[in-house]
Amino acid sequence: MSMPLPAVLRRPAWLTTLAMGFVILWLIIAAFPFAWTVWGSFKVQTDFFSRDSWWNAITGPMTTRTTGGPFTTDGYYGAWVTTEFWRAALNTLIVTVCVTSISLSFGTLGGYALARSTHRYRFWILVAALFFRAMPEVTLVSGYLFPFFALNIWGHLPTAIIVLVALNQPFTLWMMYSFFQGIPRDLDESALVDGCNRFQAFRLAIMPVMWPGVITTGLFSFLLAYNDFTVTGLVLSKDNQTMVPKIASYLGTIQDEGAIMFAVAAVVSITIPIFLLVMFFQRYLVSGLTAGAVKG
Amino acid sequence: MPHSSFFRFMAPSLIAMLLFIALPTVSIFVQSLYVEHPQVLIETETCQPLGGCVKETTVDVAATAKLRSEAPLGQFNGLGTYVDRNHLAINSVGLLWSRSGSLGEFVSGMMNLRFYRALAFTLFYCFLVTPLAMALGFGIALAVNVVPRLMKGPVIFFSLVPMLITPLVGALILFWMLNSDGILGVALQVLFNDPGLSTQSSAPLTWIMLIVYGTWTNAPFSFIVFYAGLQAVSRDTLEAAMIDGASRWERVRYVVLPSLKPLVLFVLLVQLMDNFRVFEPIISFNASANATSLAFDIYASLNTQTSQLFGSAAATSVITIAFIAVLIVPILARVARELQAGRV
């Protein structure tokens, strides 16, 4: 490898420079909006949305004038305390933890069965799941609301949780199915030969090696529940709102002076967990995104 | 695996999908055949000795409530909701067709019809954002492949965030920068030397802003998948092409792209599927005056202060699902073939 590359294989300098410039430009496009919003969330509205100069959002003259310093946490105080964003955050925590754990349990069992079955209905379940995955959630929600009102279960957290679990199933099933396809059959079949039943074989032979697949799938299940607006926005009552519908509700009151900064602070707050997730699980996320693609 | 243990493993997942995906599909179809009860009106005539008689119409609240509780689904309307003015608007379209002198007139007339307005934007968004985001993602993947390895990690990190961010939140972040008080909005005003320029003021500008958001949030997916694909392109074929004197562009065109073809198909269909449900950015951009989508229309019918229009939402949903079915039949057929061949 230490041999110099032949001239034809070497990249011209201009190409590397051009690529470098393009990558840096993309980095700015991808990251700048977040940096700008985080910075602006510590200003007052008249600075972040300044009619005079965008420079005000950086230096914050009005923030200094009204609050005594160039940075203020008024937006965060207003969101988390005054408008009780903490309640929405708590609801989001409950919903995401429940949805992720339940859909992983369901999906792992189902995915394993699909990967090990050779019957024809397996094929139809997988194709149907793919079609279900393609249907926009809101079309299904329009089917739920009426029965939910009739059964008087509309508005509660468990209702949203079970709906999100169900909507999560097609994706979870496919992910876990293709993961289990990659685990050699010999592993659980030898356990069956040794006298285990299916559940024992699953528990003793498969469970110890399935965690990378479970983590990857779990991350995407978490994101689906965390990012959802369609179900949580339409199925939950005002008292049980999670973070995303709560942020949407700020938009209606945007005319009030300062209320928009509550929304900005809430937006920054809801982004932080996603940042941490990407930071700690980047490898899993990338492998999950490419898993479906590479297989086909 | 025997049937009994297969279904024991599969049961929780199957029941969840049957109850909350398959059954609602039936339920929206049934709902779409019904329409809300009209309010029961009573006409009363009050006669003054000298002033003559005045007819007055009032809502009989008690009778309306009784009717609604007796048949909560509404009254049977057959396919009436599908063809009414807010949906397929068969009559209005026919009238427009026969009355308008030019194609332009016909199109602008169609854009006044709620369903076609939403359909037009949905398709426009779907078929513009998908190729734009794929091209941008492919460009980033090619560029990252060339720059020093050190940059790979940070680029992937910062690319994942716009993609995994809550759609409503990501769109809000861009909207705040793009509206007339935001940094990019002001930059545009300076650029076009028009202090009154507002990205919200006209339909074309709003559509462009939504496309910009869509490309920003969708490009990273293409980038990640194509970047992974690039690592698997055969070195030997590339070197052979180089020795044969293929230029850089020719190598991309005739070696790299063909070997990425399965990935391109995969990304294309996932993106079409996802972009077809575009809905949150319209709320974030407060754009419903200039742009609506099918998903947004359903949401708007359900998210009303007074009484939800279940019939309307259901009819739009059935039509949307029909479109999705047409859109993804190719992928379903392909996956079915691969499944049968045992390759997936």
Side-chain angles (χ1 to χ4, degrees):
Chain A
M1 286 312 275
S2 61
M3 277 208 326
L5 287 164
V8 66
L9 289 179
R10 233 176 282 144
R11 288 193 187 96
W14 65 266
L15 188 78
T16 316
T17 318
L18 186 77
M20 196 73 166
F22 186 63
V23 169
I24 289 171
L25 180 70
W26 164 248
L27 273 178
I28 294 171
I29 293 173
F32 176 70
F34 296 103
W36 177 257
T37 310
V38 171
W39 182 267
S41 68
F42 294 101
K43 305 289 178 202
V44 295
Q45 185 179 350
T46 38
D47 278 331
F48 188 47
F49 297 99
S50 176
R51 283 175 206 280
D52 303 326
S53 157
W54 60 269
W55 189 248
N56 286 351
I58 296 186
T59 56
M62 286 304 289
T63 314
T64 313
R65 196 172 310 158
T66 51
T67 65
F71 297 101
T72 171
T73 50
D74 285 358
Y76 290 91
Y77 185 85
W80 282 85
V81 181
T82 315
T83 57
E84 297 196 321
F85 193 67
W86 63 268
R87 207 180 280 278
L90 194 66
N91 287 335
T92 296
L93 184 73
I94 298 171
V95 168
T96 47
V97 167
C98 293
V99 169
T100 311
S101 48
I102 301 175
S103 49
L104 275 180
S105 326
F106 287 13
T108 306
L109 291 173
Y112 172 72
L114 287 170
R116 291 297 183 258
S117 168
T118 46
H119 295 292
R120 188 145 180 84
Y121 45 70
R122 170 196 86 115
F123 166 82
W124 289 112
I125 294 175
L126 283 168
V127 172
L130 202 63
F131 185 72
F132 289 160
R133 157 79 176 75
M135 297 200 312
E137 295 95 340
V138 72
T139 60
L140 294 169
V141 173
S142 69
Y144 300 142
L145 288 191
F146 186 76
F148 285 178
F149 282 128
L151 296 170
N152 213 5
I153 54 171
W154 182 87
H156 306 295
L157 286 180
T159 313
I161 290 170
I162 190 70
V163 167
L164 283 170
V165 165
L167 292 182
N168 231 333
Q169 279 310 298
F171 174 79
T172 317
L173 275 182
W174 263 95
M175 285 289 278
M176 290 313 295
Y177 162 75
S178 58
F179 177 77
F180 284 127
Q181 287 281 79
I183 292 182
R185 280 163 183 259
D186 302 350
L187 211 61
D188 37 332
E189 265 159 27
S190 60
L192 289 176
V193 172
D194 288 347
C196 290
N197 64 29
R198 266 290 167 188
F199 279 101
Q200 286 165 332
F202 177 77
R203 198 163 53 84
L204 298 172
I206 298 295
M207 273 181 68
V209 295
M210 74 180 186
W211 298 108
V214 171
I215 293 175
T216 308
T217 314
L219 288 170
F220 287 96
S221 298
F222 168 84
L223 282 167
L224 184 136
Y226 189 79
N227 288 344
D228 175 82
F229 173 62
T230 319
V231 175
T232 51
L234 286 170
V235 166
L236 291 175
S237 66
K238 214 168 159 29
D239 304 327
N240 290 329
Q241 266 174 344
T242 53
M243 287 199 278
V244 186
K246 181 81 180 174
I247 290 174
S249 77
Y250 287 132
L251 304 181
T253 55
I254 218 149
Q255 299 310 326
D256 309 339
E257 183 72 22
I260 190 168
M261 294 318 289
F262 298 176
V264 177
V267 156
V268 173
S269 311
I270 199 176
T271 311
I272 291 168
I274 294 186
F275 250 88
L276 296 177
L277 189 89
V278 174
M279 208 179 278
F280 290 111
F281 295 102
Q282 178 166 332
R283 201 165 54 84
Y284 289 101
L285 289 166
V286 170
S287 79
L289 287 173
T290 49
V294 177
K295 289 219 170 87
Chain B
M1 193 188 260
H3 300 295
S4 61
S5 48
F6 177 83
F7 282 104
R8 234 176 288 155
F9 271 95
M10 204 62 222
S13 187
L14 267 187
I15 293 171
M17 289 200 293
L18 277 179
L19 272 182
F20 291 98
I21 304 181
L23 209 61
T25 317
V26 179
S27 126
I28 53 170
F29 182 70
V30 174
Q31 255 177 53
S32 71
L33 301 178
Y34 287 83
V35 71
E36 292 73 26
H37 292 290
Q39 287 172 321
V40 181
L41 302 177
I42 344 171
E43 211 166 69
T44 44
E45 207 174 55
T46 41
C47 293
Q48 308 281 334
L50 292 170
C53 290
V54 185
K55 275 190 184 168
E56 229 175 60
T57 321
T58 50
V59 177
D60 186 342
V61 181
T64 308
K66 183 165 176 284
L67 191 61
R68 286 197 177 147
S69 69
E70 272 168 5
L73 211 50
Q75 57 189 16
F76 188 75
N77 192 29
L79 296 177
T81 312
Y82 287 92
V83 297
D84 77 5
R85 213 190 124 74
N86 278 329
H87 300 90
L88 295 175
I90 306 288
N91 291 333
S92 310
V93 174
L95 217 63
L96 257 175
W97 184 249
S98 58
R99 284 210 191 137
S100 37
S102 66
L103 193 66
E105 203 180 318
F106 177 68
V107 170
S108 69
M110 292 285 277
M111 291 301 281
N112 289 329
L113 297 170
R114 184 180 124 143
F115 172 78
Y116 293 99
R117 214 166 79 92
L119 181 65
F121 178 75
T122 310
L123 292 177
F124 181 81
Y125 183 89
C126 204
F127 288 103
L128 208 61
V129 165
T130 306
L132 279 178
M134 285 175 72
L136 178 60
F138 184 62
I140 301 167
L142 280 182
V144 172
N145 215 23
V146 171
V147 300
R149 289 213 143 256
L150 202 68
M151 288 190 68
K152 192 188 128 187
V155 175
I156 293 181
F157 175 80
F158 285 109
S159 302
L160 280 171
V161 180
M163 171 191 167
L164 300 177
I165 186 90
T166 316
L168 187 103
V169 167
L172 263 180
I173 287 176
L174 285 206
F175 172 65
W176 284 332
M177 293 174 75
L178 284 164
N179 80 9
S180 52
D181 298 333
I183 176 168
L184 294 178
V186 173
L188 286 176
Q189 287 167 0
V190 173
L191 197 67
F192 291 102
N193 199 16
D194 176 5
L197 184 76
S198 160
T199 47
Q200 278 177 284
S201 60
S202 73
L205 276 174
T206 309
W207 286 35
I208 292 171
M209 292 308 125
L210 287 164
I211 298 293
V212 167
Y213 162 76
T215 312
W216 179 72
T217 189
N218 282 311
F221 178 63
S222 303
F223 156 53
I224 304 267
V225 173
F226 290 148
Y227 182 74
L230 281 179
Q231 311 311 309
V233 172
S234 148
R235 292 253 153 251
D236 292 347
T237 321
L238 270 179
E239 276 171 25
M242 276 186 238
I243 290 161
D244 287 348
S247 71
R248 231 157 245 293
W249 164 246
E250 282 168 337
R251 283 187 317 244
V252 169
R253 171 71 188 78
Y254 295 107
V255 181
V256 175
L257 274 178
S259 71
L260 289 184
K261 200 181 147 209
L263 293 189
V264 172
L265 268 177
F266 166 78
V267 175
L268 180 73
L269 288 154
V270 169
Q271 296 268 280
L272 282 181
M273 226 150 73
D274 286 349
N275 289 332
F276 198 79
R277 54 178 92 174
V278 54
F279 145 61
E280 284 106 328
I282 295 176
I283 294 177
S284 297
F285 277 70
N286 195 13
S288 56
N290 292 320
T292 58
S293 68
L294 293 177
F296 179 85
D297 268 1
I298 302 171
Y299 174 81
S301 300
L302 296 173
N303 191 37
T304 54
Q305 294 302 317
T306 49
S307 59
Q308 278 112 338
L309 304 168
F310 290 118
S312 167
T316 314
S317 298
V318 171
I319 301 171
T320 306
I321 292 174
F323 268 100
I324 276 288
V326 172
L327 210 63
I328 75 148
V329 156
I331 194 185
L332 281 184
R334 213 176 97 90
V335 170
R337 269 203 311 277
E338 305 245 314
L339 272 175
Q340 267 166 338
R343 275 192 302 251
V344 181

